[in-house]
Amino acid sequence: MSNNGTTMSDYERIRLVILGGPGVGKSSIVKRFLSNTYTSKYKSTIEDLYNREYDLGHMTLKVDILDTAGDMQFPAMRRLCIATAHAFLLVYAVTSAPSLDCIKQCFEEIREQRGDFQDIPIVVAGNKLDLTSTHREIPIEDVSEWVYCELPKLRVKVLECSAKDDINVKEIFRTFLTLSRIFPRDPEEAGGLKRRSSAYVSNKGGRRNASPAPEKDKAGPSEGKDTLMKPRSRSLIRRASRKTKQQMREAQGGTDDCHVS
């Protein structure tokens, strides 16, 4: 019970950390989800932290989405990101074989640092699905074989998406709620997220509030008014971290079969 009388059944906060190589579209996925915007211009990320609050009916969910650097220039920051995460989004580009090697390295870092790695919700997302008609280097079967056959039992899902064409972006974030047992596994039972407020923080010092979202906005972007503002930055090391939750049960059903469809 918190000081204001709110129980954990009424209030929950999770931190989603996004890892992957440079140029795979991590920031594009976040911006498509939060503000339904996309730009083809590439700008490297150091560390951007976004905040959203959702009304799930039975509880209020506060989500911190941490978009990290794609290179290895900030190892201390990277270790802290991994240590404080409640869930991970590992992003690769289906058009780049080296990008899959990068998220494999990210997973090894998670396994080394987190003794509870088998209980942490993880989504492995192959971005740039819109380019597969002309150029594909990574079949989804190869990724599924690595995840479901080579790795220990995990709470994980593999999917492909396109931030540019807005394919499966909302599904990524709904999946985290399902893997976290916040939403049921059946999408029809899950319904939609109702956004209560929007805000963001990021790594060069600053926090601003975005325009209020519509009363019953579904999971993902509101249209038109809730425009994602250009992030500022503030080092995660200066932010108080929450101790990793140990409340997850066994890995999601189905991942213990080595079956690649």
Side-chain angles (χ1 to χ4, degrees), residues 129-196:
L129 185 60
D130 52 286
L131 299 178
T132 54
S133 60
T134 57
H135 182 61
R136 177 192 279 271
E137 292 188 7
I138 306 175
I140 193 170
E141 293 81 7
D142 290 356
V143 183
S144 297
E145 182 177 2
W146 168 61
V147 169
Y148 298 127
C149 300
E150 297 181 31
L151 299 182
K153 293 180 180 180
L154 302 174
R155 184 166 295 172
V156 64
K157 182 173 180 178
V158 175
L159 54 79
E160 292 182 333
C161 66
S162 169
K164 180 179 180 180
D165 289 350
D166 195 13
I167 300 172
N168 276 345
V169 173
K170 292 180 183 178
E171 180 61 24
I172 290 173
F173 295 90
R174 289 195 183 103
T175 295
F176 281 113
L177 299 182
T178 302
L179 295 176
S180 301
R181 309 296 193 252
I182 296 175
F183 269 179
R185 293 182 182 181
D186 186 352
E188 296 300 322
E189 298 176 19
L193 286 172
K194 298 178 183 179
R195 181 159 42 193
R196 295 184 57 178

XYZ file of all heavy atoms in Angstrom, residues 129-196:
560
model
N 9.690 -4.172 -42.290
C 8.952 -5.177 -43.041
C 8.505 -4.648 -44.400
O 8.305 -5.420 -45.344
C 7.730 -5.613 -42.216
C 6.874 -6.752 -42.752
C 7.694 -8.028 -42.905
C 5.676 -6.987 -41.847
N 8.374 -3.332 -44.507
C 7.946 -2.723 -45.772
C 8.957 -2.906 -46.894
O 8.630 -2.746 -48.067
C 7.694 -1.221 -45.565
C 8.879 -0.520 -44.916
O 9.073 -0.714 -43.704
O 9.620 0.207 -45.615
N 10.203 -3.260 -46.555
C 11.255 -3.410 -47.564
C 11.483 -4.852 -48.002
O 12.342 -5.120 -48.840
C 12.575 -2.837 -47.028
C 12.577 -1.345 -46.677
C 13.935 -0.935 -46.109
C 12.224 -0.498 -47.900
N 10.712 -5.782 -47.445
C 11.004 -7.194 -47.709
C 10.663 -7.629 -49.128
O 11.165 -8.640 -49.603
C 10.241 -8.097 -46.725
O 8.838 -7.769 -46.778
C 10.749 -7.895 -45.307
N 9.812 -6.881 -49.829
C 9.479 -7.270 -51.200
C 10.670 -7.123 -52.125
O 10.766 -7.813 -53.150
C 8.311 -6.417 -51.720
O 8.651 -5.035 -51.708
N 11.608 -6.252 -51.768
C 12.792 -6.043 -52.598
C 14.083 -6.491 -51.930
O 15.060 -6.779 -52.612
C 12.930 -4.551 -52.960
O 12.996 -3.764 -51.753
C 11.738 -4.090 -53.787
N 14.077 -6.543 -50.607
C 15.337 -6.866 -49.927
C 15.056 -7.440 -48.544
O 14.515 -6.759 -47.683
C 16.200 -5.610 -49.794
C 17.533 -5.855 -49.158
N 18.463 -6.701 -49.695
C 18.079 -5.380 -48.015
C 19.550 -6.725 -48.922
N 19.327 -5.939 -47.884
N 15.409 -8.696 -48.349
C 15.306 -9.327 -47.040
C 16.556 -10.167 -46.807
O 16.936 -10.977 -47.659
C 14.062 -10.216 -46.936
C 13.973 -10.947 -45.585
C 12.919 -12.024 -45.576
N 11.575 -11.515 -45.350
C 11.019 -11.347 -44.155
N 11.716 -11.663 -43.058
N 9.793 -10.899 -44.038
N 17.159 -9.990 -45.631
C 18.331 -10.778 -45.282
C 18.069 -11.751 -44.130
O 18.844 -12.687 -43.940
C 19.502 -9.858 -44.901
C 20.050 -9.040 -46.069
C 21.320 -8.288 -45.704
O 21.857 -8.493 -44.591
O 21.779 -7.483 -46.550
N 16.973 -11.518 -43.377
C 16.709 -12.353 -42.209
C 15.296 -12.928 -42.283
O 14.311 -12.200 -42.066
C 16.860 -11.555 -40.900
C 18.231 -10.886 -40.830
C 16.638 -12.459 -39.698
C 18.409 -9.994 -39.625
N 15.156 -14.221 -42.591
C 13.833 -14.848 -42.530
C 13.369 -14.941 -41.077
O 14.174 -15.182 -40.174
C 14.073 -16.247 -43.117
C 15.403 -16.172 -43.803
C 16.195 -15.144 -43.074
N 12.089 -14.762 -40.855
C 11.577 -14.829 -39.495
C 11.754 -16.228 -38.901
O 11.873 -16.391 -37.688
C 10.089 -14.401 -39.446
C 9.670 -14.169 -37.989
C 9.205 -15.409 -40.167
C 8.305 -13.530 -37.844
N 11.832 -17.251 -39.763
C 12.052 -18.609 -39.270
C 13.404 -18.742 -38.571
O 13.538 -19.475 -37.588
C 11.955 -19.621 -40.425
C 10.586 -19.760 -41.045
C 10.264 -18.661 -42.051
O 11.170 -17.842 -42.370
O 9.112 -18.619 -42.529
N 14.409 -18.017 -39.086
C 15.736 -18.069 -38.452
C 15.687 -17.449 -37.054
O 16.322 -17.946 -36.118
C 16.764 -17.322 -39.313
C 17.071 -18.045 -40.614
O 16.547 -19.166 -40.807
O 17.812 -17.478 -41.441
N 14.949 -16.362 -36.924
C 14.843 -15.699 -35.626
C 14.057 -16.578 -34.654
O 14.432 -16.741 -33.490
C 14.160 -14.322 -35.773
C 14.114 -13.603 -34.434
C 14.899 -13.476 -36.808
N 12.966 -17.179 -35.129
C 12.162 -18.048 -34.283
C 12.952 -19.259 -33.820
O 12.833 -19.696 -32.666
C 10.905 -18.501 -35.041
O 10.082 -17.403 -35.364
N 13.782 -19.811 -34.701
C 14.603 -20.963 -34.317
C 15.594 -20.574 -33.214
O 15.801 -21.322 -32.255
C 15.360 -21.499 -35.535
C 16.196 -22.731 -35.210
C 16.879 -23.297 -36.435
O 16.732 -22.720 -37.538
O 17.581 -24.309 -36.297
N 16.186 -19.387 -33.351
C 17.123 -18.928 -32.313
C 16.407 -18.733 -30.979
O 16.877 -19.194 -29.936
C 17.769 -17.607 -32.757
C 18.513 -16.900 -31.655
C 19.587 -17.375 -30.955
C 18.227 -15.603 -31.128
N 20.003 -16.442 -30.028
C 19.187 -15.348 -30.105
C 17.286 -14.616 -31.422
C 19.197 -14.158 -29.381
C 17.303 -13.429 -30.705
C 18.250 -13.214 -29.692
N 15.250 -18.088 -31.015
C 14.545 -17.754 -29.778
C 13.955 -18.985 -29.110
O 14.135 -19.213 -27.908
C 13.439 -16.715 -30.055
C 12.534 -16.553 -28.836
C 14.060 -15.372 -30.430
N 13.243 -19.806 -29.882
C 12.470 -20.886 -29.280
C 13.243 -22.196 -29.145
O 12.855 -23.060 -28.350
C 11.192 -21.122 -30.087
C 10.280 -19.924 -30.116
C 9.809 -19.405 -31.323
C 9.890 -19.295 -28.937
C 8.976 -18.299 -31.344
C 9.059 -18.183 -28.951
C 8.607 -17.696 -30.155
O 7.783 -16.594 -30.172
N 14.310 -22.348 -29.923
C 15.044 -23.619 -29.900
C 16.410 -23.517 -29.224
O 16.838 -24.464 -28.561
C 15.223 -24.145 -31.326
S 13.667 -24.460 -32.180
N 17.080 -22.401 -29.392
C 18.445 -22.287 -28.874
C 18.521 -21.650 -27.494
O 19.444 -21.935 -26.724
C 19.313 -21.461 -29.847
C 19.474 -22.102 -31.227
C 20.361 -21.261 -32.131
O 21.266 -20.586 -31.610
O 20.128 -21.269 -33.357
N 17.570 -20.807 -27.157
C 17.631 -20.084 -25.887
C 16.890 -20.847 -24.792
O 16.041 -21.687 -25.077
C 17.026 -18.687 -26.044
C 17.723 -17.766 -27.049
C 17.032 -16.406 -27.050
C 19.194 -17.604 -26.724
N 17.206 -20.533 -23.510
C 16.426 -21.115 -22.407
C 14.977 -20.655 -22.495
O 14.649 -19.723 -23.227
C 17.109 -20.530 -21.151
C 18.438 -20.051 -21.607
C 18.274 -19.646 -23.042
N 14.120 -21.317 -21.753
C 12.708 -20.949 -21.760
C 12.545 -19.498 -21.320
O 12.976 -19.112 -20.245
C 11.916 -21.862 -20.827
C 11.854 -23.303 -21.303
C 11.046 -24.140 -20.332
C 10.977 -25.586 -20.797
N 10.186 -26.432 -19.867
N 11.897 -18.726 -22.172
C 11.753 -17.299 -21.916
C 10.293 -16.889 -22.007
O 9.464 -17.595 -22.598
C 12.552 -16.485 -22.946
C 14.056 -16.741 -23.059
C 14.613 -15.957 -24.234
C 14.756 -16.345 -21.777
N 9.983 -15.740 -21.460
C 8.686 -15.106 -21.672
C 8.857 -14.165 -22.848
O 9.175 -12.993 -22.690
C 8.272 -14.363 -20.404
C 6.903 -13.751 -20.479
C 6.426 -13.345 -19.104
N 6.239 -14.515 -18.261
C 5.972 -14.469 -16.962
N 5.900 -13.307 -16.356
N 5.807 -15.563 -16.260
N 8.667 -14.675 -24.058
C 9.117 -13.975 -25.254
C 8.151 -14.179 -26.408
O 7.425 -15.181 -26.457
C 10.536 -14.469 -25.654
C 10.499 -15.932 -26.034
C 11.129 -13.629 -26.777
N 8.139 -13.215 -27.318
C 7.399 -13.345 -28.570
C 8.220 -12.726 -29.688
O 8.888 -11.710 -29.488
C 6.032 -12.669 -28.489
C 5.211 -12.829 -29.779
C 3.802 -12.303 -29.630
C 3.021 -12.492 -30.933
N 1.614 -12.018 -30.797
N 8.153 -13.338 -30.874
C 8.842 -12.839 -32.066
C 7.799 -12.332 -33.047
O 6.788 -12.999 -33.294
C 9.672 -13.965 -32.728
C 10.294 -13.473 -34.029
C 10.752 -14.462 -31.781
N 8.023 -11.157 -33.589
C 7.146 -10.647 -34.641
C 7.916 -9.690 -35.534
O 9.018 -9.248 -35.203
C 5.903 -9.976 -34.055
C 6.051 -8.865 -33.011
C 6.416 -7.529 -33.657
C 4.753 -8.702 -32.236
N 7.328 -9.395 -36.691
C 7.908 -8.424 -37.609
C 6.986 -7.220 -37.701
O 5.769 -7.331 -37.505
C 8.120 -9.043 -38.993
C 9.193 -10.119 -38.999
C 9.442 -10.695 -40.384
O 8.498 -10.675 -41.217
O 10.577 -11.160 -40.641
N 7.569 -6.062 -37.991
C 6.785 -4.828 -38.002
C 7.359 -3.850 -39.016
O 8.439 -4.055 -39.566
C 6.776 -4.189 -36.612
S 8.402 -3.609 -36.061
N 6.626 -2.788 -39.236
C 7.096 -1.676 -40.062
C 6.665 -0.380 -39.404
O 5.468 -0.079 -39.340
C 6.522 -1.753 -41.484
O 6.787 -0.547 -42.185
N 7.631 0.373 -38.909
C 7.311 1.687 -38.353
C 6.850 2.621 -39.465
O 5.978 3.468 -39.252
C 8.534 2.272 -37.648
N 7.387 2.463 -40.646
C 7.025 3.334 -41.758
C 5.569 3.141 -42.170
O 4.820 4.119 -42.334
C 7.940 3.063 -42.958
C 7.638 3.939 -44.166
C 8.596 3.653 -45.317
C 8.283 4.541 -46.510
N 9.209 4.278 -47.646
N 5.155 1.881 -42.329
C 3.800 1.589 -42.790
C 2.841 1.285 -41.643
O 1.696 0.894 -41.887
C 3.822 0.398 -43.756
C 4.464 0.755 -45.082
O 4.714 1.948 -45.321
O 4.726 -0.172 -45.884
N 3.305 1.440 -40.402
C 2.468 1.209 -39.214
C 1.884 -0.207 -39.216
O 0.670 -0.406 -39.080
C 1.348 2.244 -39.132
C 0.686 2.271 -37.749
O 1.255 1.669 -36.815
O -0.385 2.881 -37.620
N 2.761 -1.179 -39.340
C 2.362 -2.591 -39.307
C 2.862 -3.214 -38.007
O 4.066 -3.187 -37.713
C 2.949 -3.364 -40.512
C 2.447 -2.765 -41.827
C 2.593 -4.850 -40.434
C 3.123 -3.352 -43.055
N 1.957 -3.742 -37.214
C 2.271 -4.481 -35.980
C 2.921 -3.633 -34.887
O 3.427 -4.202 -33.906
C 3.174 -5.689 -36.269
C 2.376 -6.896 -36.706
O 1.163 -6.943 -36.537
N 3.049 -7.872 -37.279
N 2.921 -2.325 -35.018
C 3.553 -1.500 -33.991
C 2.748 -1.542 -32.694
O 3.297 -1.757 -31.609
C 3.732 -0.046 -34.478
C 4.236 0.844 -33.348
C 4.710 -0.007 -35.651
N 1.436 -1.368 -32.780
C 0.607 -1.455 -31.582
C 0.667 -2.855 -30.984
O 0.626 -3.025 -29.759
C -0.836 -1.079 -31.908
C -1.036 0.382 -32.261
C -2.494 0.659 -32.576
C -2.685 2.103 -33.007
N -4.090 2.391 -33.376
N 0.766 -3.861 -31.848
C 0.802 -5.242 -31.366
C 2.026 -5.494 -30.489
O 1.971 -6.272 -29.541
C 0.801 -6.206 -32.564
C 0.829 -7.676 -32.189
C -0.373 -8.104 -31.357
O -1.431 -7.440 -31.442
O -0.242 -9.087 -30.618
N 3.137 -4.823 -30.795
C 4.340 -4.961 -29.962
C 4.027 -4.601 -28.520
O 4.355 -5.348 -27.591
C 5.466 -4.050 -30.491
C 6.000 -4.574 -31.818
C 6.604 -3.940 -29.469
C 7.004 -3.626 -32.474
N 3.362 -3.480 -28.325
C 3.128 -2.982 -26.971
C 1.990 -3.730 -26.286
O 2.002 -3.913 -25.069
C 2.894 -1.475 -27.023
C 4.112 -0.724 -27.476
C 4.332 -0.471 -28.823
C 5.072 -0.300 -26.563
C 5.477 0.199 -29.256
C 6.208 0.365 -26.976
C 6.424 0.606 -28.323
N 1.004 -4.190 -27.042
C -0.020 -5.043 -26.451
C 0.583 -6.358 -25.977
O 0.167 -6.916 -24.957
C -1.131 -5.314 -27.469
C -2.009 -4.117 -27.780
C -3.275 -4.559 -28.499
N -4.086 -3.409 -28.866
C -4.168 -2.898 -30.080
N -3.443 -3.415 -31.060
N -4.943 -1.867 -30.339
N 1.558 -6.849 -26.730
C 2.202 -8.110 -26.374
C 2.877 -8.014 -25.014
O 2.845 -8.966 -24.227
C 3.227 -8.504 -27.448
O 2.537 -8.756 -28.676
C 3.991 -9.762 -27.045
N 3.488 -6.871 -24.721
C 4.127 -6.715 -23.416
C 3.113 -6.837 -22.284
O 3.399 -7.432 -21.245
C 4.846 -5.365 -23.325
C 6.167 -5.358 -24.019
C 6.370 -4.582 -25.152
C 7.221 -6.135 -23.552
C 7.591 -4.584 -25.801
C 8.437 -6.140 -24.198
C 8.626 -5.364 -25.320
N 1.930 -6.286 -22.480
C 0.913 -6.391 -21.447
C 0.473 -7.835 -21.261
O 0.217 -8.284 -20.141
C -0.283 -5.516 -21.810
C -0.009 -4.017 -21.940
C -1.294 -3.278 -22.266
C 0.618 -3.464 -20.677
N 0.386 -8.571 -22.370
C 0.016 -9.979 -22.284
C 1.098 -10.788 -21.587
O 0.825 -11.594 -20.688
C -0.235 -10.547 -23.692
O -1.258 -9.786 -24.333
C -0.660 -12.002 -23.618
N 2.354 -10.584 -21.989
C 3.458 -11.324 -21.378
C 3.619 -10.979 -19.909
O 4.089 -11.794 -19.113
C 4.767 -11.026 -22.122
C 4.865 -11.495 -23.575
C 6.180 -11.044 -24.187
C 4.726 -13.000 -23.675
N 3.231 -9.756 -19.533
C 3.337 -9.326 -18.141
C 2.138 -9.746 -17.309
O 2.067 -9.432 -16.119
C 3.476 -7.799 -18.078
O 4.611 -7.360 -18.781
N 1.177 -10.423 -17.955
C -0.058 -10.852 -17.293
C -0.944 -9.675 -16.912
O -1.824 -9.796 -16.071
C 0.226 -11.701 -16.040
C 1.193 -12.854 -16.258
C 0.640 -13.883 -17.221
N 1.444 -15.107 -17.161
C 2.278 -15.502 -18.114
N 2.445 -14.732 -19.175
N 2.937 -16.651 -18.011
N -0.689 -8.508 -17.497
C -1.553 -7.357 -17.246
C -2.801 -7.460 -18.114
O -3.901 -7.124 -17.701
C -0.794 -6.043 -17.530
C 0.365 -5.907 -16.544
C -1.727 -4.850 -17.420
C 1.246 -4.712 -16.815
N -2.626 -7.946 -19.348
C -3.754 -8.258 -20.210
C -3.809 -9.764 -20.394
O -2.775 -10.438 -20.365
C -3.568 -7.615 -21.598
C -4.162 -6.251 -21.725
C -4.036 -5.555 -22.916
C -4.847 -5.650 -20.686
C -4.567 -4.287 -23.059
C -5.382 -4.383 -20.823
C -5.242 -3.700 -22.012
N -4.997 -10.338 -20.643
C -5.085 -11.763 -20.962
C -4.476 -12.047 -22.320
O -4.219 -11.141 -23.104
C -6.601 -12.030 -20.975
C -7.219 -10.701 -21.249
C -6.305 -9.678 -20.609
N -4.244 -13.328 -22.605
C -3.589 -13.686 -23.864
C -4.480 -13.485 -25.069
O -4.011 -13.272 -26.177
C -3.142 -15.162 -23.805
C -2.036 -15.396 -22.798
C -1.601 -16.834 -22.828
N -0.564 -17.070 -21.824
C 0.023 -18.228 -21.618
N -0.316 -19.269 -22.329
N 0.961 -18.365 -20.697
N -5.800 -13.614 -24.874
C -6.728 -13.459 -25.977
C -6.915 -11.982 -26.285
O -7.404 -11.232 -25.447
C -8.072 -14.082 -25.601
C -9.060 -14.081 -26.772
O -8.742 -13.456 -27.806
O -10.121 -14.703 -26.639
N -6.542 -11.531 -27.501
C -6.668 -10.103 -27.832
C -8.096 -9.603 -27.708
O -8.335 -8.441 -27.397
C -6.170 -10.023 -29.288
C -5.351 -11.249 -29.493
C -5.949 -12.294 -28.596
N -9.086 -10.490 -27.955
C -10.469 -10.070 -27.859
C -10.852 -9.746 -26.422
O -11.698 -8.915 -26.152
C -11.388 -11.168 -28.408
C -11.192 -11.430 -29.893
C -11.461 -10.198 -30.732
O -12.404 -9.453 -30.395
O -10.750 -9.965 -31.717
N -10.203 -10.444 -25.461
C -10.471 -10.168 -24.063
C -9.731 -8.925 -23.594
O -10.118 -8.285 -22.623
C -10.042 -11.357 -23.195
C -10.788 -12.647 -23.509
C -10.251 -13.792 -22.682
O -9.592 -13.510 -21.662
O -10.476 -14.948 -23.053
N -8.637 -8.596 -24.280
C -7.766 -7.524 -23.800
C -8.390 -6.149 -23.947
O -8.194 -5.274 -23.117
C -6.436 -7.572 -24.559
N -9.132 -5.955 -25.053
C -9.697 -4.631 -25.265
C -8.605 -3.639 -25.614
O -7.562 -3.977 -26.140
N -8.799 -2.370 -25.287
C -7.828 -1.346 -25.631
C -7.355 -0.589 -24.418
O -8.020 -0.524 -23.400
N -6.191 -0.023 -24.541
C -5.680 0.872 -23.503
C -6.409 2.206 -23.602
O -6.626 2.722 -24.696
C -4.187 1.107 -23.707
C -3.236 -0.020 -23.352
C -1.842 0.367 -23.827
C -3.232 -0.253 -21.860
N -6.751 2.773 -22.474
C -7.321 4.113 -22.446
C -6.289 5.051 -21.850
O -5.959 4.951 -20.686
C -8.599 4.123 -21.603
C -9.694 3.226 -22.167
C -10.910 3.235 -21.274
C -11.977 2.284 -21.811
N -13.167 2.269 -20.930
N -5.760 5.921 -22.677
C -4.690 6.794 -22.222
C -5.248 7.894 -21.340
O -6.186 8.580 -21.678
C -3.957 7.389 -23.418
C -2.818 8.286 -23.002
C -1.810 8.464 -24.092
N -2.425 8.653 -25.380
C -1.746 8.576 -26.509
N -0.488 8.275 -26.490
N -2.335 8.768 -27.662
N -4.609 8.088 -20.187
C -5.029 9.127 -19.265
C -4.233 10.404 -19.453
O -4.752 11.490 -19.343
C -4.886 8.642 -17.818
C -5.809 7.491 -17.488
C -5.715 7.115 -16.033
N -6.014 8.273 -15.185
C -6.034 8.218 -13.872
N -5.775 7.084 -13.258
N -6.303 9.287 -13.159
